[in-house]
Amino acid sequence: MLDHLGHESVRLIGASWGGRVAVNFALAHPGRVRSLTLLAPPWPGYDWSADMVAYDEAETAALAAGDLDAAVRVNLDMWLRGPGRGWEDVAPGLAERLRIPVRTSLVHQDAVGEHSQGGPAGDIASIAVPTLVGIGLLDVPDFQEIARRYAARIPGATLVEFPDAAHLIALDAPTELSTALESFLAES
């Protein structure tokens, strides 16, 4: 795609699973990446907490029962609201805006899973481009620890904490994220 569009290298930004995709791309094609921004990416083989296991079990049970509405609620509760706040603290209307995209994602989850296994093996310490790692301080503690792990293991990476964001940083803190990205991209 990059060749078709005439881009020798790009600045990659990935959120959640997209962050892991960006890491895999940077490891597989280091010469094609100018900078990397990772917003709450997962870590392969991470030993998930009891809360994350309970979330996964609740989503799996809802999907197995054919209750897509319950699966959507479980996901909105985990990723939008997060463990550190009540629904009254989430921007009005945001859950409704996300309901259909989350539903669509869940409907196609098997296809996504089929194409997202594995990825390039590699040591993230070999990533040699400017890297920003962002984490919402209202996100699941697992993802906060993972973000710190990425920031510590990628040489020269910068960790940016978003105090008023859960997992979906771009939705919870769009102005703060834009400011952080503008500063980061200007320097890299």
Side-chain angles (χ1 to χ4, degrees):
M1 175 66 88
L2 294 179
D3 291 339
H4 175 76
L5 295 173
H7 297 294
E8 182 62 32
S9 63
V10 293
R11 298 175 186 274
L12 288 179
I13 299 174
S16 194
W17 185 253
R20 189 59 211 180
V21 171
V23 167
N24 287 347
F25 185 86
L27 289 170
H29 308 282
R32 309 279 326 241
V33 178
R34 288 194 321 233
S35 69
L36 189 59
T37 298
L38 309 173
L39 304 174
W43 187 277
Y46 187 79
D47 186 20
W48 297 106
S49 68
D51 288 340
M52 283 296 295
V53 171
Y55 150 76
D56 183 60
E57 289 172 351
E59 179 194 65
T60 299
L63 292 172
D67 191 346
L68 200 50
D69 290 334
V72 167
R73 282 191 303 276
V74 166
N75 276 275
L76 289 175
D77 214 35
M78 177 61 85
W79 305 121
L80 179 58
R81 183 183 60 79
R85 63 182 172 181
W87 279 109
E88 67 278 1
D89 299 319
V90 175
L94 194 50
E96 281 311 308
R97 280 186 30 216
L98 289 179
R99 198 167 302 284
I100 291 173
V102 169
R103 182 182 202 83
T104 300
S105 173
L106 289 167
V107 166
H108 298 288
Q109 190 166 338
D110 288 342
V112 171
E114 180 182 326
H115 296 286
S116 64
Q117 298 304 313
D123 182 1
I124 64 169
S126 70
I127 294 175
V129 297
T131 302
L132 181 146
V133 180
I135 188 62
L137 295 182
L138 301 175
D139 198 353
V140 178
D142 297 52
F143 277 94
Q144 293 183 45
E145 195 278 322
I146 289 169
R148 288 177 179 81
R149 186 182 288 187
Y150 275 108
R153 294 190 183 175
I154 297 174
T158 300
L159 179 68
V160 177
E161 297 176 338
F162 297 89
D164 298 322
H167 192 70
L168 305 176
I169 297 167
L171 297 175
D172 277 333
T175 302
E176 296 85 348
L177 177 58
S178 291
T179 300
L181 283 173
E182 286 172 10
S183 176
F184 170 68
L185 293 175
E187 295 171 10
S188 62

